[in-house]
Amino acid sequence: MTKLLSVRDLRVGFGNDSKANEVVKGVSFDLASGETLAIVGESGSGKSVTALSINRLVDFGGGRITGGSIVLTRADGTAFDVTGSKEAALRQIRGRDVGMIFQEPMTSLNPVHTIGDQIAEAVRLNSGLRSDAARKAALDVLDRVRIPDAKSRMDYYPHQLSGGMRQRVMIAMALVASPRLLIADEPTTALDVTVQAQILALLAELRAETGMAMIFITHDIGLVAGIADRIMVMQHGVVVEQDETSNVLDNPQHEYTQHLLRAVPHFASGNAVRTDGERVPAREPVVKVDDLVVRFPVGGGWLKPKGAIHAVDGVSFDLVAGETLAIVGESGSGKSTTARAILGLVDKQRGDIAATTGRSKRPIQMVFQDPFASLNPRLDVEALMAEPAIANGQKHDKALRERMAFLLDKVGLPEDALKRYPHQFSGGQRQRLCIARALMLNPDVVVLDEAVSALDVSVQAKVLDLLIDLQHEFRLAYLFISHDMAVVERIAHRVAVMYAGQIVEIGDAKAVLASPQHSYTKRLIAAVPAIERRKQHFAVDVTQVPSLVRPAGYEPPDARWREAGSDHRVRHEDTP
Amino acid sequence: MNYLAQRLLTFPLILLGVSVLVFVSIRMIPGSQITAMLGTEAGMLTAAQREALAAYFGIDQPVWTQYFRWLAGLFQGDLGVSTIYARPVLNVILERFPLTLQLALMSMTIALCIGLPLGVFAATRNERPSDLIVRILAMLGQSTPNFVIGILLIYFLSVFFGIVPAMGTFTPLTVDPLASFGQLFWPAVTLGFAFAASVTRISRSAMLDVLSDDYIRTARSKGASSMSVIWRHALPNALIPVVTLSGVEFGYLLGGAVIVEQIFALPGLGRLVLDAITQRDYALVQGTVLFIAFNFLIVNLLVDLAYAALDPRIRIGGRK
């Protein structure tokens, strides 16, 4: 194998004094052509900055290479000095030698140009082909990334495509110039788990077809098992371990790698579910949801909508004290809308939501996904935590402050946190704050909408432990919305699987996760990446989530259910 | 199309509201139409003469009767008769409007031709000396009142270059295009100066926003040149705020530019409104204000159509 890329003692800094603010502190690695290297690390480890230095896109984000060298071997065998080259020369390798795909397919495509034009532009820039020939090449590459009906999709704008489709377009755009190195910066992090599996399968297939080398950046060490030849683990800007994939996974040397591997929520197919909290069917539920329907009108004129998005269509479940019900499903399945409807944040068309007002007048509270966006940056912690109480008519008095201090202590934050502002906390600490705030009114039920999804894996594990402790102490019922099966397995007593606005399977967590009955649940569970299943390969599949837009007046046929166990119900699949 | 129809349906409602407001507020200003018209001679009128005149103009009736009479006329295309000019209000307005429209269009063209490139340039030079100079210029342009610029312009042109802008009667485009452009050029520059400054500032900040977007990084990763990144990938995405601002400013300009018209002695809509108000020419005030409001609505509609043209997300809507 010939050497493609050689990085030596790379240092990258940011800001005016880039030497003092280094985020990459001496990274070295080699990459042979056709080889795949995975760079693994948590946010702030410098993994993305390292990758962006290889085509010097880091310059545009305010970064400066302060030391070291990057040498790329070009197709004709000449060595190209990346660190010492000027912008004009760097443009020659971007696209042509080094292609790149990014984390956010939603924002990485230009919204004002059709996808056909954007791909054709990459062709024109890198192969010299002109208009018709460029469009022909764009169409070919769309076929290669298995976009169904590629010809008509050429004239689509990015917003008309789903996240998975957009990521395919990104891949097509990077591939069309036949780069010899593809850098994939967290390419599946923003995608649903089944889509993630498809994109990974696609990348593996395309790599085999083209023989290109790949650098795969991810925070999820569980994900790289099936795709990488080598793994490089980064922490705080330095490489802590670098070896063959199997060596790193089976025999990690560095403490941090071991920690990462332990922290990855392993999905154990239902064998690691919680064993506390036996469900007692006779107990009165704290929340009972019956035939919940939420629809959003679309199209049509002033008076008469043409149809409606059936976001939630006839969802029923109940929740008893001390129990966690997880709702799993992909984006657009209606799980967040269900949560919001229960809190009255969206209007429901139909259905009953009965909550027992036990300890509090407001028995249901919520914790949101993004701890950065859900805390007002202008308020200090005391004001933030007092807010739900004041909104509920309580006075901001000594008793309230005592409760704040008590809850801060419970979620593991120091008492002096009260006078600090949200930006002074890390992501995990902020989520603890959000949890403490949700507990201010002493609720019976806490709705957690993807509450740990935005956190790094090791932080995620700690927050999950905290949630379990709080559940025991206060006998809280959790409605836990998540797309992450491994997280669900750790916290759920029961699981409800949502697909296209409906629950397709519900029951005891062990039963649902270990022996899924519905075809969608099976698909969802099969797509969960796992280190143990690294040899397993997925066929590329192009099924899309069905449209939820229905004509006005449409009612779905009555659901028919089948009992698959004592607490395990499955929806019959003949109803669409 | 549906959207367009909905918008057009709201027009009459808005115009009706505007007309009621103007009708009532102009009558709340102290002083009467008859006194304003006759000047000192008004003092010699007997009570009977005054009443006769009031009856002649219809202003002896209750305000609401007057309003409905006026409204009835409006539906027949009759905006009433101006007391200053003793001619139909609509004719007076339409005579003044070409100048105002041409002046507004010329000012906007100047503003966009200068402001947009300057703003884009400053954004690509963010925080460097050239960006700072552009920002200072823009700040100066926005904060200098246009009568200062107009007067300085006339002074320098006449004293140092011997150019005296043509004043008084307006030469329309249809009569002599060159003379017409020449006459309005300096007033347009005066108005365009502050306008250009606003365009510069807003296009600079919009471009700065867009240049940090993910798809710009994508374009660079494809090997696109900085020219292509700026003009093909960034600018179309940065135009929406520029269009919004230009629409609002253009709408104001269509209402006439009182001070600049005064300085350059141009018979535009602005001076017409001013004269109408000071002379209590009720019908003329009513007519011009309604006309200006109508122009504003049309401009807003054009702005919305421009949004749709610029952004496929607005044009096409959700997923197919």
Side-chain angles (χ1 to χ4, degrees), chain A residues 385-399:
Chain A
M385 288 188 66
E387 212 158 26
I390 290 168
N392 204 29
Q394 294 181 32
K395 277 205 197 62
H396 192 149
D397 53 14
K398 189 157 172 288

Side-chain angles (χ1 to χ4, degrees), chain A residues 57 60 91 94-95 102 107-113 117-118 121-122 125-126 156-157 159-160 173 302, chain B residues 6 214-215 217-218 220-226 228 232-233 236-237 310 312-313 315-320:
Chain A
L57 283 181
F60 296 100
R91 273 205 292 277
R94 284 186 202 134
F102 299 96
T107 54
S108 291
L109 292 168
N110 194 325
V112 306
H113 297 294
D117 282 352
Q118 294 188 53
E121 186 195 9
L125 285 169
N126 297 307
Y156 274 38
Y157 288 92
H159 73 276
Q160 296 170 288
M173 205 150 68
W302 265 347
Chain B
Q6 287 183 19
D214 287 348
Y215 51 82
R217 191 177 56 181
T218 306
R220 290 194 167 117
S221 80
K222 290 196 278 192
S225 66
S226 32
S228 158
R232 186 183 138 83
H233 289 279
N237 283 291
L310 285 172
R313 285 167 295 188
R315 185 164 71 241
I316 303 178
R319 284 183 204 170
K320 273 187 189 169

Side-chain angles (χ1 to χ4, degrees), chain B residues 250-266:
Chain B
F250 185 69
Y252 279 126
L253 287 180
L254 283 187
V258 181
I259 292 168
V260 171
E261 283 170 19
Q262 201 76 38
I263 294 173
F264 288 90
L266 294 169

Side-chain angles (χ1 to χ4, degrees), chain A residues 17-61:
Chain A
D17 188 4
S18 46
K19 281 249 186 243
N21 297 311
E22 284 186 346
V23 294
V24 174
K25 304 164 187 162
V27 167
S28 304
F29 64 91
D30 290 303
L31 189 68
S33 48
E35 193 184 28
T36 298
L37 171 76
I39 306 182
V40 181
E42 293 182 283
S43 44
S45 62
K47 57 189 193 304
S48 288
V49 175
T50 303
L52 286 169
S53 302
I54 295 168
N55 55 9
R56 288 278 299 276
L57 283 181
V58 73
D59 295 21
F60 296 100

Side-chain angles (χ1 to χ4, degrees), chain B residues 23-84:
Chain B
F23 212 88
V24 174
S25 55
I26 181 82
R27 280 163 178 76
M28 277 159 44
I29 304 175
S32 87
Q33 189 177 10
I34 295 162
T35 317
M37 189 171 63
L38 296 179
T40 45
E41 289 170 43
M44 293 189 275
L45 286 176
T46 63
Q49 282 173 317
R50 216 174 233 284
E51 269 168 35
L53 269 175
Y56 174 76
F57 288 117
I59 51 178
D60 57 336
Q61 304 286 327
V63 175
W64 291 113
T65 316
Q66 292 182 39
Y67 179 71
F68 285 115
R69 267 192 199 168
W70 176 82
L71 203 61
L74 183 69
F75 281 117
Q76 294 157 27
D78 177 13
L79 283 173
V81 176
S82 155
T83 49
I84 314 176

